[in-house]
Amino acid sequence: MNPAEDGPKRTVRGALVKVLTHHRTDRGMRLEEHAARCVRRREVHELVSTDQWDPRPGARIDRVGFLGFAELECGGVIDRGDLVSIGDMRVGTVLGFDACHLPNHYNILIHTPRPVSGGDLRLRPEARVTFVQGSRAPESRDEEAEAGPPPYG
């Protein structure tokens, strides 16, 4: 998000359609150069947690927890810095996107204090997923830490 350019936006909402329960420390995802992506109604995307915060294009993301797949109920824009909640739980902040599975789906990378899976958070299918506009995207891990940990952490 760029506060000098970005105005308000709608909340992107969806629901979990599949819960994932595994972790990896060698995943090798690559952060896309784009800090924002448009998404369409009814698309399904994968939600992946990571404790790594490196917003540089091409940054390698290895330490991950797989949360699950979410179907979007409305189109919109997901930006780096958006706050991600599942059910009543704030999970983390959007870091960016990995496109290794396109055109099937994006991996939406979510910064969390530690990699967590859907099993760790006891997620269930049909849980509500929201991407709410953040006040701004932190440029460093230090700035992210200042925002405080999600409630589960």
Side-chain angles (χ1 to χ4, degrees):
M1 175 186 181
N2 180 345
E5 297 177 359
D6 294 344
K9 67 175 185 174
R10 83 178 345 174
T11 296
V12 175
R13 293 179 173 83
L16 279 182
V17 296
K18 180 175 181 161
V19 175
L20 297 173
T21 61
H22 58 295
H23 299 83
R24 297 271 309 261
T25 58
D26 61 348
R27 179 57 181 85
M29 291 183 180
R30 296 283 178 192
L31 196 64
E32 288 289 299
E33 65 182 289
H34 309 289
R37 297 282 75 196
C38 293
V39 293
R40 295 182 179 111
R41 180 177 177 227
R42 295 194 177 132
E43 285 183 338
V44 175
H45 296 291
E46 189 169 359
L47 307 179
V48 180
S49 71
T50 182
D51 63 343
Q52 296 175 242
W53 183 272
D54 184 351
R56 294 175 300 161
R60 182 181 168 108
I61 306 298
D62 281 318
R63 293 185 310 271
V64 297
F66 295 89
L67 296 163
F69 287 89
E71 179 182 16
L72 304 180
E73 296 171 3
C74 63
V77 178
I78 298 176
D79 290 294
R80 178 176 299 131
D82 282 357
L83 305 177
V84 182
S85 294
I86 302 176
D88 294 331
M89 179 181 1
R90 183 174 149 228
V91 174
T93 305
V94 172
L95 167 61
F97 307 88
D98 169 81
C100 70
H101 296 297
L102 279 179
N104 190 49
H105 67 274
Y106 275 114
N107 292 318
I108 302 175
L109 299 167
I110 302 166
H111 184 254
T112 55
R114 65 185 185 284
V116 289
S117 73
D120 296 332
L121 299 181
R122 296 187 174 115
L123 299 180
R124 295 285 177 243
E126 300 301 334
R128 186 160 189 79
V129 176
T130 58
F131 298 87
V132 176
Q133 185 171 20
S135 59
R136 68 182 184 89
E139 292 303 316
S140 71
R141 186 178 174 130
D142 292 336
E143 289 183 50
E144 172 71 6
E146 290 173 12
Y152 76 84

Short mmCIF file of all heavy atoms in Angstrom, two decimals, residues 81-146:
data_model
loop_
_atom_site.label_atom_id
_atom_site.label_comp_id
_atom_site.label_asym_id
_atom_site.label_seq_id
_atom_site.Cartn_x
_atom_site.Cartn_y
_atom_site.Cartn_z
N GLY A 81 0.55 -5.45 3.29
CA GLY A 81 0.16 -4.67 4.46
C GLY A 81 -1.29 -4.87 4.87
O GLY A 81 -1.67 -4.45 5.96
N ASP A 82 -2.11 -5.52 4.04
CA ASP A 82 -3.48 -5.80 4.43
C ASP A 82 -3.49 -6.75 5.64
O ASP A 82 -2.64 -7.64 5.75
CB ASP A 82 -4.27 -6.45 3.30
CG ASP A 82 -4.73 -5.46 2.23
OD1 ASP A 82 -4.49 -4.24 2.40
OD2 ASP A 82 -5.31 -5.91 1.23
N LEU A 83 -4.45 -6.56 6.50
CA LEU A 83 -4.61 -7.41 7.68
C LEU A 83 -5.49 -8.59 7.33
O LEU A 83 -6.58 -8.42 6.77
CB LEU A 83 -5.23 -6.61 8.82
CG LEU A 83 -4.48 -5.33 9.20
CD1 LEU A 83 -5.22 -4.57 10.29
CD2 LEU A 83 -3.05 -5.64 9.62
N VAL A 84 -5.03 -9.79 7.67
CA VAL A 84 -5.74 -11.02 7.32
C VAL A 84 -6.32 -11.62 8.58
O VAL A 84 -5.61 -11.84 9.57
CB VAL A 84 -4.79 -12.03 6.65
CG1 VAL A 84 -5.56 -13.29 6.27
CG2 VAL A 84 -4.10 -11.41 5.45
N SER A 85 -7.63 -11.90 8.53
CA SER A 85 -8.30 -12.59 9.63
C SER A 85 -9.00 -13.82 9.09
O SER A 85 -9.47 -13.83 7.95
CB SER A 85 -9.34 -11.67 10.29
OG SER A 85 -8.71 -10.58 10.91
N ILE A 86 -9.05 -14.83 9.93
CA ILE A 86 -9.83 -16.03 9.64
C ILE A 86 -10.71 -16.28 10.84
O ILE A 86 -10.22 -16.40 11.97
CB ILE A 86 -8.92 -17.25 9.35
CG1 ILE A 86 -7.98 -16.95 8.18
CG2 ILE A 86 -9.78 -18.49 9.05
CD1 ILE A 86 -6.98 -18.05 7.86
N GLY A 87 -12.02 -16.31 10.60
CA GLY A 87 -12.96 -16.33 11.72
C GLY A 87 -12.79 -15.06 12.51
O GLY A 87 -12.70 -13.97 11.94
N ASP A 88 -12.70 -15.16 13.83
CA ASP A 88 -12.50 -14.00 14.70
C ASP A 88 -11.04 -13.75 15.03
O ASP A 88 -10.73 -12.93 15.88
CB ASP A 88 -13.28 -14.20 16.01
CG ASP A 88 -14.77 -14.23 15.79
OD1 ASP A 88 -15.23 -13.58 14.84
OD2 ASP A 88 -15.47 -14.91 16.56
N MET A 89 -10.12 -14.47 14.37
CA MET A 89 -8.70 -14.42 14.70
C MET A 89 -7.92 -13.62 13.66
O MET A 89 -7.99 -13.92 12.48
CB MET A 89 -8.18 -15.86 14.74
CG MET A 89 -6.73 -16.01 15.04
SD MET A 89 -6.20 -17.77 15.03
CE MET A 89 -7.63 -18.70 14.64
N ARG A 90 -7.19 -12.60 14.12
CA ARG A 90 -6.26 -11.92 13.22
C ARG A 90 -5.06 -12.84 13.04
O ARG A 90 -4.38 -13.18 14.00
CB ARG A 90 -5.81 -10.58 13.75
CG ARG A 90 -4.90 -9.90 12.73
CD ARG A 90 -4.51 -8.50 13.08
NE ARG A 90 -3.18 -8.32 12.51
CZ ARG A 90 -2.15 -7.83 13.14
NH1 ARG A 90 -2.25 -7.42 14.37
NH2 ARG A 90 -0.99 -7.73 12.54
N VAL A 91 -4.80 -13.22 11.80
CA VAL A 91 -3.72 -14.17 11.52
C VAL A 91 -2.41 -13.45 11.25
O VAL A 91 -1.36 -13.87 11.71
CB VAL A 91 -4.11 -15.08 10.34
CG1 VAL A 91 -2.95 -15.98 9.93
CG2 VAL A 91 -5.33 -15.92 10.70
N GLY A 92 -2.43 -12.37 10.49
CA GLY A 92 -1.20 -11.67 10.16
C GLY A 92 -1.41 -10.60 9.12
O GLY A 92 -2.52 -10.12 8.92
N THR A 93 -0.33 -10.27 8.41
CA THR A 93 -0.29 -9.18 7.45
C THR A 93 0.20 -9.70 6.11
O THR A 93 1.19 -10.45 6.06
CB THR A 93 0.69 -8.09 7.95
OG1 THR A 93 0.29 -7.69 9.27
CG2 THR A 93 0.69 -6.89 7.04
N VAL A 94 -0.45 -9.31 5.03
CA VAL A 94 -0.03 -9.76 3.70
C VAL A 94 1.39 -9.27 3.42
O VAL A 94 1.68 -8.08 3.52
CB VAL A 94 -0.99 -9.26 2.60
CG1 VAL A 94 -0.43 -9.56 1.21
CG2 VAL A 94 -2.38 -9.87 2.77
N LEU A 95 2.28 -10.21 3.10
CA LEU A 95 3.64 -9.91 2.66
C LEU A 95 3.66 -9.73 1.15
O LEU A 95 4.31 -8.84 0.63
CB LEU A 95 4.59 -11.04 3.07
CG LEU A 95 5.98 -11.03 2.43
CD1 LEU A 95 6.74 -9.75 2.79
CD2 LEU A 95 6.77 -12.26 2.84
N GLY A 96 2.98 -10.60 0.45
CA GLY A 96 2.98 -10.54 -1.00
C GLY A 96 2.46 -11.83 -1.61
O GLY A 96 1.70 -12.55 -0.97
N PHE A 97 2.95 -12.12 -2.80
CA PHE A 97 2.38 -13.20 -3.60
C PHE A 97 3.48 -14.03 -4.24
O PHE A 97 4.51 -13.50 -4.66
CB PHE A 97 1.50 -12.61 -4.72
CG PHE A 97 0.47 -11.66 -4.18
CD1 PHE A 97 0.77 -10.32 -4.00
CD2 PHE A 97 -0.78 -12.11 -3.81
CE1 PHE A 97 -0.16 -9.44 -3.47
CE2 PHE A 97 -1.72 -11.24 -3.27
CZ PHE A 97 -1.40 -9.90 -3.11
N ASP A 98 3.25 -15.33 -4.32
CA ASP A 98 4.09 -16.25 -5.07
C ASP A 98 3.20 -16.81 -6.17
O ASP A 98 2.07 -17.24 -5.89
CB ASP A 98 4.60 -17.37 -4.16
CG ASP A 98 5.24 -18.49 -4.94
OD1 ASP A 98 6.41 -18.35 -5.32
OD2 ASP A 98 4.55 -19.51 -5.18
N ALA A 99 3.68 -16.79 -7.40
CA ALA A 99 2.85 -17.17 -8.54
C ALA A 99 3.25 -18.50 -9.17
O ALA A 99 2.90 -18.77 -10.31
CB ALA A 99 2.91 -16.06 -9.59
N CYS A 100 3.91 -19.38 -8.42
CA CYS A 100 4.41 -20.63 -9.00
C CYS A 100 3.29 -21.54 -9.49
O CYS A 100 3.54 -22.39 -10.34
CB CYS A 100 5.34 -21.35 -8.02
SG CYS A 100 4.52 -22.06 -6.59
N HIS A 101 2.06 -21.36 -9.00
CA HIS A 101 0.96 -22.24 -9.42
C HIS A 101 0.01 -21.58 -10.42
O HIS A 101 -1.00 -22.18 -10.77
CB HIS A 101 0.16 -22.70 -8.20
CG HIS A 101 0.94 -23.54 -7.25
ND1 HIS A 101 1.47 -24.76 -7.58
CD2 HIS A 101 1.29 -23.33 -5.96
CE1 HIS A 101 2.10 -25.27 -6.54
NE2 HIS A 101 2.02 -24.42 -5.55
N LEU A 102 0.32 -20.35 -10.85
CA LEU A 102 -0.55 -19.69 -11.84
C LEU A 102 -0.54 -20.50 -13.14
O LEU A 102 0.48 -21.08 -13.48
CB LEU A 102 -0.08 -18.26 -12.10
CG LEU A 102 -0.51 -17.24 -11.07
CD1 LEU A 102 0.03 -15.86 -11.45
CD2 LEU A 102 -2.02 -17.15 -10.91
N PRO A 103 -1.66 -20.58 -13.85
CA PRO A 103 -2.87 -19.78 -13.66
C PRO A 103 -3.88 -20.40 -12.69
O PRO A 103 -4.98 -19.89 -12.55
CB PRO A 103 -3.45 -19.72 -15.07
CG PRO A 103 -3.07 -21.04 -15.67
CD PRO A 103 -1.71 -21.35 -15.09
N ASN A 104 -3.50 -21.46 -12.01
CA ASN A 104 -4.44 -22.11 -11.10
C ASN A 104 -4.76 -21.25 -9.88
O ASN A 104 -5.93 -21.03 -9.56
CB ASN A 104 -3.88 -23.46 -10.65
CG ASN A 104 -4.89 -24.29 -9.91
OD1 ASN A 104 -6.02 -24.45 -10.37
ND2 ASN A 104 -4.50 -24.80 -8.76
N HIS A 105 -3.74 -20.76 -9.19
CA HIS A 105 -3.97 -19.93 -8.00
C HIS A 105 -2.69 -19.22 -7.59
O HIS A 105 -1.59 -19.64 -7.95
CB HIS A 105 -4.50 -20.76 -6.82
CG HIS A 105 -3.50 -21.74 -6.27
ND1 HIS A 105 -3.33 -23.00 -6.79
CD2 HIS A 105 -2.59 -21.64 -5.25
CE1 HIS A 105 -2.38 -23.65 -6.10
NE2 HIS A 105 -1.91 -22.83 -5.17
N TYR A 106 -2.86 -18.14 -6.82
CA TYR A 106 -1.73 -17.48 -6.15
C TYR A 106 -1.51 -18.15 -4.81
O TYR A 106 -2.46 -18.63 -4.17
CB TYR A 106 -2.03 -16.01 -5.86
CG TYR A 106 -1.76 -15.07 -6.99
CD1 TYR A 106 -2.80 -14.40 -7.61
CD2 TYR A 106 -0.46 -14.83 -7.43
CE1 TYR A 106 -2.56 -13.51 -8.65
CE2 TYR A 106 -0.21 -13.95 -8.47
CZ TYR A 106 -1.26 -13.29 -9.08
OH TYR A 106 -1.02 -12.43 -10.10
N ASN A 107 -0.27 -18.12 -4.33
CA ASN A 107 0.03 -18.33 -2.92
C ASN A 107 0.05 -16.93 -2.33
O ASN A 107 0.87 -16.10 -2.74
CB ASN A 107 1.41 -18.97 -2.73
CG ASN A 107 1.45 -20.40 -3.23
OD1 ASN A 107 0.54 -21.17 -3.01
ND2 ASN A 107 2.52 -20.75 -3.92
N ILE A 108 -0.84 -16.64 -1.41
CA ILE A 108 -0.86 -15.35 -0.73
C ILE A 108 -0.05 -15.53 0.54
O ILE A 108 -0.43 -16.29 1.44
CB ILE A 108 -2.29 -14.88 -0.43
CG1 ILE A 108 -3.08 -14.77 -1.74
CG2 ILE A 108 -2.26 -13.54 0.33
CD1 ILE A 108 -4.55 -14.42 -1.56
N LEU A 109 1.10 -14.85 0.61
CA LEU A 109 2.03 -15.00 1.73
C LEU A 109 1.64 -14.04 2.83
O LEU A 109 1.50 -12.83 2.61
CB LEU A 109 3.45 -14.74 1.26
CG LEU A 109 3.93 -15.71 0.18
CD1 LEU A 109 5.21 -15.22 -0.46
CD2 LEU A 109 4.09 -17.10 0.75
N ILE A 110 1.46 -14.57 4.04
CA ILE A 110 0.98 -13.81 5.19
C ILE A 110 2.05 -13.84 6.27
O ILE A 110 2.44 -14.92 6.73
CB ILE A 110 -0.34 -14.41 5.72
CG1 ILE A 110 -1.39 -14.41 4.61
CG2 ILE A 110 -0.81 -13.65 6.96
CD1 ILE A 110 -2.60 -15.28 4.92
N HIS A 111 2.52 -12.66 6.65
CA HIS A 111 3.54 -12.57 7.69
C HIS A 111 2.91 -12.83 9.05
O HIS A 111 1.89 -12.24 9.42
CB HIS A 111 4.23 -11.21 7.68
CG HIS A 111 5.33 -11.13 8.67
ND1 HIS A 111 5.21 -10.43 9.83
CD2 HIS A 111 6.56 -11.70 8.68
CE1 HIS A 111 6.35 -10.56 10.53
NE2 HIS A 111 7.17 -11.32 9.85
N THR A 112 3.53 -13.74 9.81
CA THR A 112 3.08 -14.12 11.15
C THR A 112 4.32 -14.22 12.05
O THR A 112 5.44 -14.32 11.54
CB THR A 112 2.36 -15.49 11.10
OG1 THR A 112 3.21 -16.46 10.50
CG2 THR A 112 1.05 -15.41 10.32
N PRO A 113 4.16 -14.18 13.36
CA PRO A 113 5.33 -14.28 14.25
C PRO A 113 6.12 -15.58 14.06
O PRO A 113 7.33 -15.61 14.24
CB PRO A 113 4.74 -14.21 15.65
CG PRO A 113 3.44 -13.52 15.49
CD PRO A 113 2.93 -13.93 14.13
N ARG A 114 5.43 -16.65 13.69
CA ARG A 114 6.06 -17.93 13.39
C ARG A 114 5.17 -18.62 12.35
O ARG A 114 3.96 -18.35 12.30
CB ARG A 114 6.21 -18.79 14.64
CG ARG A 114 4.91 -19.23 15.24
CD ARG A 114 5.08 -19.99 16.55
NE ARG A 114 3.83 -20.49 17.05
CZ ARG A 114 2.89 -19.77 17.65
NH1 ARG A 114 3.06 -18.49 17.84
NH2 ARG A 114 1.77 -20.33 18.06
N PRO A 115 5.75 -19.47 11.52
CA PRO A 115 4.91 -20.17 10.55
C PRO A 115 3.88 -21.06 11.26
O PRO A 115 4.23 -21.82 12.17
CB PRO A 115 5.90 -21.03 9.76
CG PRO A 115 7.21 -20.35 9.95
CD PRO A 115 7.17 -19.78 11.35
N VAL A 116 2.64 -20.91 10.89
CA VAL A 116 1.56 -21.71 11.48
C VAL A 116 0.73 -22.32 10.35
O VAL A 116 0.59 -21.74 9.29
CB VAL A 116 0.65 -20.88 12.41
CG1 VAL A 116 1.37 -20.53 13.70
CG2 VAL A 116 0.12 -19.64 11.73
N SER A 117 0.19 -23.49 10.62
CA SER A 117 -0.67 -24.18 9.65
C SER A 117 -2.13 -24.04 10.08
O SER A 117 -2.44 -23.60 11.19
CB SER A 117 -0.30 -25.66 9.58
OG SER A 117 -0.73 -26.33 10.75
N GLY A 118 -3.00 -24.45 9.17
CA GLY A 118 -4.42 -24.48 9.51
C GLY A 118 -4.70 -25.41 10.67
O GLY A 118 -5.57 -25.14 11.50
N GLY A 119 -3.94 -26.49 10.77
CA GLY A 119 -4.10 -27.41 11.90
C GLY A 119 -3.68 -26.77 13.21
O GLY A 119 -4.34 -26.93 14.23
N ASP A 120 -2.57 -26.01 13.18
CA ASP A 120 -2.10 -25.33 14.40
C ASP A 120 -3.16 -24.37 14.93
O ASP A 120 -3.32 -24.22 16.14
CB ASP A 120 -0.83 -24.51 14.12
CG ASP A 120 0.36 -25.37 13.71
OD1 ASP A 120 0.42 -26.54 14.12
OD2 ASP A 120 1.22 -24.83 12.98
N LEU A 121 -3.88 -23.71 14.00
CA LEU A 121 -4.90 -22.72 14.40
C LEU A 121 -6.29 -23.32 14.52
O LEU A 121 -7.24 -22.60 14.79
CB LEU A 121 -4.91 -21.56 13.39
CG LEU A 121 -3.60 -20.78 13.28
CD1 LEU A 121 -3.76 -19.64 12.27
CD2 LEU A 121 -3.13 -20.26 14.62
N ARG A 122 -6.39 -24.63 14.32
CA ARG A 122 -7.67 -25.35 14.41
C ARG A 122 -8.73 -24.74 13.48
O ARG A 122 -9.89 -24.56 13.85
CB ARG A 122 -8.17 -25.39 15.85
CG ARG A 122 -7.26 -26.17 16.77
CD ARG A 122 -7.86 -26.34 18.14
NE ARG A 122 -7.02 -27.21 18.94
CZ ARG A 122 -6.39 -26.82 20.03
NH1 ARG A 122 -6.51 -25.58 20.45
NH2 ARG A 122 -5.65 -27.67 20.70
N LEU A 123 -8.29 -24.44 12.26
CA LEU A 123 -9.21 -23.87 11.27
C LEU A 123 -10.16 -24.93 10.77
O LEU A 123 -9.86 -26.13 10.82
CB LEU A 123 -8.41 -23.27 10.11
CG LEU A 123 -7.44 -22.15 10.46
CD1 LEU A 123 -6.71 -21.66 9.22
CD2 LEU A 123 -8.16 -21.00 11.17
N ARG A 124 -11.30 -24.48 10.27
CA ARG A 124 -12.32 -25.38 9.74
C ARG A 124 -12.82 -24.84 8.40
O ARG A 124 -12.87 -23.62 8.20
CB ARG A 124 -13.52 -25.47 10.70
CG ARG A 124 -13.18 -26.12 12.03
CD ARG A 124 -13.03 -27.63 11.85
NE ARG A 124 -12.65 -28.27 13.08
CZ ARG A 124 -11.50 -28.92 13.24
NH1 ARG A 124 -10.64 -29.00 12.27
NH2 ARG A 124 -11.22 -29.50 14.38
N PRO A 125 -13.22 -25.74 7.49
CA PRO A 125 -13.83 -25.27 6.25
C PRO A 125 -15.03 -24.36 6.55
O PRO A 125 -15.71 -24.53 7.56
CB PRO A 125 -14.29 -26.56 5.56
CG PRO A 125 -13.37 -27.61 6.12
CD PRO A 125 -13.12 -27.19 7.55
N GLU A 126 -15.23 -23.40 5.68
CA GLU A 126 -16.28 -22.39 5.75
C GLU A 126 -15.96 -21.24 6.71
O GLU A 126 -16.75 -20.30 6.83
CB GLU A 126 -17.66 -22.97 6.09
CG GLU A 126 -18.15 -23.99 5.09
CD GLU A 126 -18.29 -23.47 3.65
OE1 GLU A 126 -18.49 -22.24 3.45
OE2 GLU A 126 -18.18 -24.29 2.73
N ALA A 127 -14.81 -21.28 7.39
CA ALA A 127 -14.43 -20.13 8.23
C ALA A 127 -14.29 -18.90 7.34
O ALA A 127 -13.78 -18.97 6.23
CB ALA A 127 -13.13 -20.41 8.97
N ARG A 128 -14.75 -17.77 7.83
CA ARG A 128 -14.70 -16.51 7.08
C ARG A 128 -13.27 -15.99 7.01
O ARG A 128 -12.56 -15.97 8.02
CB ARG A 128 -15.60 -15.49 7.75
CG ARG A 128 -15.74 -14.20 6.98
CD ARG A 128 -17.00 -13.49 7.47
NE ARG A 128 -17.34 -12.35 6.67
CZ ARG A 128 -17.95 -12.41 5.49
NH1 ARG A 128 -18.26 -13.57 4.97
NH2 ARG A 128 -18.25 -11.32 4.84
N VAL A 129 -12.86 -15.57 5.83
CA VAL A 129 -11.53 -15.00 5.59
C VAL A 129 -11.72 -13.56 5.15
O VAL A 129 -12.57 -13.28 4.29
CB VAL A 129 -10.78 -15.78 4.49
CG1 VAL A 129 -9.44 -15.13 4.18
CG2 VAL A 129 -10.60 -17.24 4.90
N THR A 130 -10.96 -12.62 5.74
CA THR A 130 -11.04 -11.23 5.32
C THR A 130 -9.64 -10.64 5.13
O THR A 130 -8.71 -10.97 5.86
CB THR A 130 -11.81 -10.34 6.32
OG1 THR A 130 -11.19 -10.41 7.59
CG2 THR A 130 -13.26 -10.76 6.43
N PHE A 131 -9.54 -9.77 4.14
CA PHE A 131 -8.35 -8.98 3.86
C PHE A 131 -8.78 -7.53 3.99
O PHE A 131 -9.49 -7.00 3.13
CB PHE A 131 -7.83 -9.23 2.44
CG PHE A 131 -7.40 -10.65 2.20
CD1 PHE A 131 -8.31 -11.62 1.79
CD2 PHE A 131 -6.07 -11.01 2.36
CE1 PHE A 131 -7.91 -12.92 1.55
CE2 PHE A 131 -5.65 -12.32 2.12
CZ PHE A 131 -6.58 -13.27 1.73
N VAL A 132 -8.38 -6.90 5.10
CA VAL A 132 -8.80 -5.53 5.42
C VAL A 132 -7.62 -4.60 5.17
O VAL A 132 -6.49 -4.89 5.56
CB VAL A 132 -9.25 -5.42 6.89
CG1 VAL A 132 -9.59 -3.99 7.27
CG2 VAL A 132 -10.44 -6.35 7.14
N GLN A 133 -7.90 -3.46 4.55
CA GLN A 133 -6.86 -2.49 4.25
C GLN A 133 -6.11 -2.10 5.52
O GLN A 133 -6.70 -1.70 6.51
CB GLN A 133 -7.48 -1.25 3.61
CG GLN A 133 -6.47 -0.24 3.14
CD GLN A 133 -7.12 0.87 2.33
OE1 GLN A 133 -8.32 1.10 2.42
NE2 GLN A 133 -6.33 1.56 1.54
N GLY A 134 -4.78 -2.23 5.46
CA GLY A 134 -3.93 -1.79 6.55
C GLY A 134 -3.69 -0.29 6.44
O GLY A 134 -3.96 0.32 5.41
N SER A 135 -3.17 0.31 7.51
CA SER A 135 -2.91 1.75 7.46
C SER A 135 -1.76 2.06 6.52
O SER A 135 -1.72 3.09 5.89
CB SER A 135 -2.63 2.29 8.86
OG SER A 135 -1.51 1.63 9.42
N ARG A 136 -0.80 1.14 6.42
CA ARG A 136 0.30 1.21 5.45
C ARG A 136 1.08 -0.08 5.56
O ARG A 136 1.05 -0.76 6.57
CB ARG A 136 1.20 2.42 5.68
CG ARG A 136 2.02 2.35 6.95
CD ARG A 136 2.85 3.61 7.11
NE ARG A 136 3.70 3.51 8.26
CZ ARG A 136 4.91 3.00 8.25
NH1 ARG A 136 5.44 2.56 7.15
NH2 ARG A 136 5.63 2.94 9.36
N ALA A 137 1.82 -0.39 4.53
CA ALA A 137 2.63 -1.62 4.54
C ALA A 137 3.97 -1.33 5.19
O ALA A 137 4.65 -0.39 4.80
CB ALA A 137 2.84 -2.11 3.12
N PRO A 138 4.36 -2.08 6.21
CA PRO A 138 5.69 -1.89 6.79
C PRO A 138 6.76 -2.23 5.77
O PRO A 138 6.60 -3.14 4.97
CB PRO A 138 5.71 -2.84 7.98
CG PRO A 138 4.63 -3.81 7.74
CD PRO A 138 3.63 -3.16 6.82
N GLU A 139 7.85 -1.50 5.79
CA GLU A 139 8.95 -1.75 4.85
C GLU A 139 10.00 -2.69 5.43
O GLU A 139 10.86 -3.16 4.72
CB GLU A 139 9.59 -0.43 4.44
CG GLU A 139 8.68 0.43 3.60
CD GLU A 139 8.19 -0.28 2.34
OE1 GLU A 139 9.00 -0.94 1.66
OE2 GLU A 139 6.99 -0.20 2.05
N SER A 140 9.94 -2.93 6.73
CA SER A 140 10.93 -3.81 7.34
C SER A 140 10.26 -4.67 8.39
O SER A 140 9.16 -4.40 8.85
CB SER A 140 12.03 -2.98 8.00
OG SER A 140 11.54 -2.34 9.16
N ARG A 141 10.96 -5.71 8.79
CA ARG A 141 10.46 -6.60 9.84
C ARG A 141 10.32 -5.84 11.15
O ARG A 141 9.41 -6.09 11.93
CB ARG A 141 11.41 -7.79 9.99
CG ARG A 141 10.88 -8.81 10.94
CD ARG A 141 11.83 -9.98 11.03
NE ARG A 141 11.35 -10.84 12.06
CZ ARG A 141 11.17 -12.13 11.93
NH1 ARG A 141 11.42 -12.71 10.79
NH2 ARG A 141 10.74 -12.86 12.93
N ASP A 142 11.22 -4.86 11.41
CA ASP A 142 11.13 -4.07 12.64
C ASP A 142 9.83 -3.30 12.70
O ASP A 142 9.17 -3.24 13.73
CB ASP A 142 12.31 -3.09 12.75
CG ASP A 142 13.64 -3.80 12.96
OD1 ASP A 142 13.62 -4.95 13.46
OD2 ASP A 142 14.67 -3.21 12.62
N GLU A 143 9.43 -2.69 11.57
CA GLU A 143 8.17 -1.96 11.54
C GLU A 143 7.00 -2.91 11.73
O GLU A 143 6.03 -2.58 12.38
CB GLU A 143 8.02 -1.21 10.22
CG GLU A 143 8.94 -0.02 10.10
CD GLU A 143 8.70 0.73 8.81
OE1 GLU A 143 7.53 1.04 8.54
OE2 GLU A 143 9.67 1.00 8.10
N GLU A 144 7.08 -4.11 11.15
CA GLU A 144 6.02 -5.10 11.30
C GLU A 144 5.88 -5.49 12.78
O GLU A 144 4.80 -5.60 13.31
CB GLU A 144 6.32 -6.33 10.46
CG GLU A 144 5.40 -7.49 10.68
CD GLU A 144 3.99 -7.28 10.14
OE1 GLU A 144 3.72 -6.27 9.49
OE2 GLU A 144 3.14 -8.15 10.41
N ALA A 145 7.00 -5.67 13.46
CA ALA A 145 6.99 -6.06 14.87
C ALA A 145 6.35 -4.98 15.74
O ALA A 145 5.68 -5.28 16.73
CB ALA A 145 8.41 -6.35 15.35
N GLU A 146 6.53 -3.72 15.35
CA GLU A 146 5.94 -2.63 16.12
C GLU A 146 4.42 -2.69 16.15
O GLU A 146 3.78 -2.20 17.06
CB GLU A 146 6.38 -1.28 15.56
CG GLU A 146 7.84 -0.98 15.81
CD GLU A 146 8.29 0.28 15.10
OE1 GLU A 146 7.43 1.03 14.59
OE2 GLU A 146 9.51 0.51 15.04
#
